[in-house]
Amino acid sequence: MVYSIASTDSALSVVISSEVIDARELGAKLVQKIRTEKLSLIRFTLDGDNWSSRTLAAIRIVDEAIRKEGAVSDYSKLPAGVSKILTISQPTVDADKEDDRKTSADFLTLVGEQTLAALKEAQEVFKFLLESLAALKQMIRGKAQYQKSDLLSFIHAVGPQALAIVGLVNLLLGVILAFMGAVQLQQFGAQLYVANLVSLGLTREIAPMMTAIILAGRTGAAYAAQLGTMQVNEEIDALQTFGFSPIEFLVLPRMVALALMTPLLVLFADAIGIFGGYLVGVLLLDIGGVEYATQTRNAIDLGDIVLGVAKGSFYGVLVAITGCLQGMRSGRSASAVGNAATSAVVSGIVAIIFATALFAVLTNALGI
Amino acid sequence: MRSETYKISVRNLTMAYGDFVIQRDLNFDVNSGEIFIIMGDSGSGKSSLLKHMIGLNSPQQGEVYYGEENFWSTDEETRKSLSRRFGVLYQSGALWSSMTLAQNVSLPLSTYTDYSATEIADITSFKLSLVGLAGFEEYYPSEISGGMKKRAGLARAMALDPEILFFDEPSAGLDPISSKRLDDLIMELRDGLGATIVMVTHELASIFAIGDRGIFVDADARTQTALGSIAELRRAPPTAKVAEFLSRGSAPSETLETS
């Protein structure tokens, strides 16, 4: 034990050493003593001169317990510094406030609150979409307030700067598709059809989807983080008080940049992915170069490419919407900006996959 | 040069986030040409009140009038044109980080005036020189110090020669000398431009040095507990808290001479 208790006439003397003590256990013991011996004054003494916040925190806990019993603590035997600090830490009338924030609610309340929150969110998303459309209309009429230089720099960041990563990923996708197909098709001696698989699969499905996913990670997250930081920095407030519409000024150029660049990136991805398949076909599957090219040429027509590019543009718009929406809705703290970037990527990718599935069903049903 | 300056009137304003009421039944006028101080303890909603006045947050109840115009019930266009007549200096400066200081100041000018490019550039450097930032035109906000950002924010707030300037804790985070200089600058601007100034602050030195009238919003009472000239409030504080606030916590009887 690193404390000792001794009772004199009406006071209880507690000697506490600088070692660790179990404050709650000591408190309980004291409370018991107070009750049985009807004491009202507890005198604290420190054993030795060493003390740290550990000692003080322990005394505070003990103090709280005995205060509830109506006893009074006496710090006068403690070193001057200790008694002063302990007095400061004692609850004052107005600082001893209850934490009135909501802590728990029953199940039904929770369901209700969640539903209302979800409805409100849906409303916000809808409002954001309407405002974006209105901004686009303003832009077409040449009345939107935005900086041309912003638009150009976003186009540069979305398009040319993404070429390397989009190229690399799609080249590898072409290679992977070719290998995957070759293993199966070789069994039938039909490895030439690798060209069909690669070119059709890439242009119609894979290239647009993967390009959009890269954009969601690269650009969607960046947009959310940029807009979120501007929110933290009150920059968006400043735009508003100058009468600028944040949607026109910040969201519009970002959306337009993505909508313009995604189709071009998808075309680039198509070409480089088909080249990846060509490398595998010619170098590893012993298909002649001209033969592979002719097979590819016959496998796809303009419609396939157009369909892929159209899908890609749609995904690009989805990435822009999720990125900008999360950024504009971001809270004003560092973690809120992080959350905004995360949800931009997650909701962007989920939206892309959903749209891909929807397109697959639709194109099948319509026979495109 | 100025056709008319507005009187700002706040009537029965209630501010709330959802169910949580921050302040209710706020009633006060800001006369043109005065320096009006919004005071209050921490968490009392001083900054929220400012945001309601400049149109960032819409009131749950009540009105904000600029002259005869009811800010919140008028149409979007009028609201925008009203906004253009006031300048706001945010707590952190809130400069647009992707633009240089010159671009920050010139953007409102190039958007809302038909001045030529050289003229705009001249006005921009003039405004920056007013706040002691001549020569910093091509700097980005990330390249200058906090105090400089605040001053650049002031230059931007003044870009359109506003009739009303709003300040959100202008001296927060500034050293005493810079803070004094900013006060002097605010006084000079008021005298020079004839602008009305609404300032959220709890810097007593500033309040006593430049404030004409003020309002005290109380975090516990959740409404205004004092309104009037600063000198009058100091002489006869209406509540103990106002007395404590204005004397930096000393007993109400022994008021501290700060300025």
Side-chain angles (χ1 to χ4, degrees):
Chain A
M1 256 333 113
V2 280
Y3 54 81
S4 61
I5 308 171
S7 47
T8 53
D9 298 336
S10 67
L12 192 62
S13 244
V14 183
V15 183
I16 293 176
S17 87
S18 56
E19 299 297 310
V20 197
I21 59 167
D22 187 336
R24 282 169 186 82
E25 184 198 311
L26 174 57
K29 219 168 235 175
L30 286 176
V31 166
Q32 213 173 14
K33 261 200 153 5
I34 291 168
R35 282 184 189 157
T36 51
E37 301 179 23
K38 303 262 182 290
L39 296 165
S40 59
L41 190 70
I42 313 291
R43 185 172 298 126
F44 289 97
T45 324
L46 209 57
D47 179 22
D49 285 334
N50 289 331
W51 55 274
S52 66
S53 290
R54 248 173 162 182
T55 328
L56 301 186
I59 295 182
R60 186 166 166 269
I61 298 292
V62 175
D63 207 44
E64 230 162 65
I66 61 176
R67 196 189 300 270
K68 278 195 193 125
E69 295 300 311
V72 179
S73 336
D74 176 10
Y75 297 150
S76 59
K77 291 281 185 289
L78 291 172
V82 175
S83 66
K84 197 165 223 166
I85 293 175
L86 280 172
T87 316
I88 296 173
S89 79
Q90 266 173 11
T92 53
V93 186
D94 59 327
D96 203 16
K97 90 182 229 315
E98 290 282 303
D99 191 344
D100 54 4
R101 289 172 300 180
K102 257 181 241 166
T103 40
S104 64
D106 60 64
F107 176 70
L108 280 179
T109 319
L110 270 178
V111 172
E113 276 174 356
Q114 296 284 332
T115 314
L116 286 178
L119 280 178
K120 192 155 178 277
E121 196 175 322
Q123 207 180 3
E124 274 175 27
V125 172
F126 193 64
K127 188 167 160 250
F128 177 81
L129 289 178
L130 282 185
E131 280 176 349
S132 307
L133 274 180
L136 194 65
K137 204 172 103 190
Q138 288 288 85
M139 189 189 203
I140 293 167
R141 288 158 77 195
K143 277 185 179 172
Q145 293 167 325
Y146 66 95
Q147 293 212 294
K148 306 267 183 309
S149 57
D150 274 356
L151 178 60
L152 290 179
S153 80
F154 293 139
I155 285 180
H156 183 244
V158 176
Q161 286 189 356
L163 280 180
I165 182 76
V166 167
L168 177 68
V169 167
N170 281 286
L171 181 79
L172 293 177
L173 279 171
V175 170
I176 294 166
L177 274 181
F179 270 121
M180 257 167 58
V183 174
Q184 303 299 322
L185 293 169
Q186 254 174 342
Q187 293 176 12
F188 308 102
Q191 54 272 56
L192 186 57
Y193 284 91
V194 164
N196 295 51
L197 178 73
V198 169
S199 55
L200 265 180
L202 270 175
T203 50
R204 285 179 68 104
E205 303 287 347
I206 311 282
M209 188 175 85
M210 283 312 293
T211 306
I213 288 179
I214 294 170
L215 288 179
R218 213 182 155 268
T219 311
Y223 285 0
Q226 288 163 3
L227 297 177
T229 312
M230 289 183 191
Q231 197 74 264
V232 174
N233 205 10
E234 297 180 309
E235 287 179 47
I236 295 183
D237 290 347
L239 279 175
Q240 260 173 316
T241 42
F242 267 113
F244 296 118
S245 149
I247 300 275
E248 282 178 27
F249 205 86
L250 300 173
V251 174
L252 187 65
R254 287 178 167 81
M255 284 197 173
V256 169
L258 260 177
L260 288 179
M261 284 300 107
T262 327
L264 299 181
L265 283 177
V266 171
L267 276 180
F268 174 71
D270 286 349
I272 211 148
I274 288 174
F275 177 68
Y278 174 88
L279 286 182
V280 174
V282 172
L283 297 179
L284 298 169
L285 303 176
D286 294 328
I287 305 170
V290 179
E291 213 178 344
Y292 191 97
T294 322
Q295 189 70 16
T296 301
R297 172 69 195 83
N298 291 334
I300 50 172
D301 56 30
L302 192 61
D304 297 319
I305 296 174
V306 171
L307 175 72
V309 169
K311 281 159 89 171
S313 316
F314 185 76
Y315 302 156
V317 173
L318 283 184
V319 169
I321 289 174
T322 48
C324 293
L325 175 69
Q326 298 299 342
M328 294 298 285
R329 290 180 56 209
S330 163
R332 294 176 189 246
S333 69
S335 62
V337 175
N339 288 342
T342 310
S343 18
V345 176
V346 173
S347 57
I349 291 178
V350 170
I352 290 165
I353 308 276
F354 257 98
T356 308
L358 187 72
F359 276 128
V361 174
L362 273 182
T363 46
N364 192 298
L366 297 173
I368 301 173
Chain B
M1 149 183 180
R2 224 168 286 282
S3 49
E4 48 163 341
T5 26
Y6 292 114
K7 178 173 159 175
I8 315 169
S9 316
V10 173
R11 292 286 171 264
N12 302 319
L13 183 74
T14 296
M15 311 188 287
Y17 289 117
D19 293 336
F20 182 73
V21 174
I22 315 164
Q23 288 285 328
R24 63 173 87 249
D25 300 330
L26 300 180
N27 279 292
F28 59 93
D29 291 320
V30 179
N31 302 317
S32 66
E34 75 179 356
I35 297 182
F36 188 87
I37 315 276
I38 299 174
M39 298 168 276
D41 36 353
S42 301
S44 58
K46 303 181 292 285
S47 293
S48 293
L49 175 54
L50 191 83
K51 285 187 174 171
H52 280 76
M53 292 174 76
I54 60 182
L56 286 176
N57 292 1
S58 61
Q60 195 181 57
Q61 252 174 43
E63 292 89 34
V64 178
Y65 291 95
Y66 283 88
E68 297 298 308
E69 208 75 66
N70 184 340
F71 190 86
W72 286 106
S73 69
T74 187
D75 56 293
E76 181 78 31
E77 272 315 301
T78 323
R79 195 148 50 223
K80 271 193 177 177
S81 74
L82 280 175
S83 317
R84 258 166 245 159
R85 294 185 168 179
F86 52 71
V88 186
L89 173 59
Y90 292 87
Q91 233 177 84
S92 58
L95 296 168
W96 296 311
S97 48
S98 62
M99 300 182 216
T100 63
L101 297 195
Q103 285 169 338
N104 262 284
V105 180
S106 61
L107 180 68
L109 286 164
S110 54
T111 313
Y112 295 123
T113 67
D114 47 12
Y115 303 159
S116 70
T118 31
E119 219 175 345
I120 288 176
D122 292 346
I123 297 175
T124 302
S125 358
F126 168 65
K127 298 278 175 185
L128 283 172
S129 72
L130 277 184
V131 296
L133 285 175
F136 285 90
E137 281 83 351
E138 296 312 315
Y139 280 63
Y140 281 92
S142 57
E143 298 169 327
I144 59 175
S145 74
M148 288 158 91
K149 274 184 208 166
K150 215 161 244 189
R151 280 185 280 151
L154 179 56
R156 186 184 63 184
M158 296 187 306
L160 295 172
D161 295 327
E163 288 147 46
I164 308 162
L165 273 166
F166 291 93
F167 292 84
D168 192 0
E169 307 209 6
S171 39
L174 292 187
D175 63 88
I177 302 170
S178 314
S179 150
K180 168 80 169 58
R181 274 202 205 120
L182 193 64
D183 282 351
D184 292 345
L185 185 61
I186 293 170
M187 279 286 259
E188 284 160 18
L189 288 174
R190 194 270 304 263
D191 297 341
L193 302 171
T196 306
I197 285 162
V198 179
M199 194 158 122
V200 169
T201 184
H202 37 223
E203 196 74 23
L204 285 180
S206 298
I207 296 175
F208 297 150
I210 65 173
D212 292 323
R213 287 172 65 249
I215 184 175
F216 188 90
V217 285
D218 193 304
D220 299 319
R222 296 203 177 149
T223 186
Q224 68 193 60
T225 53
L227 173 68
S229 85
I230 300 292
E232 184 64 24
L233 291 181
R234 261 181 106 180
R235 204 175 52 75
T239 70
K241 201 179 202 176
V242 174
E244 223 185 327
F245 183 95
L246 289 176
S247 60
R248 202 161 184 261
S250 344
S253 51
E254 38 177 335
T255 311
L256 207 74
E257 289 301 321
T258 318
S259 53

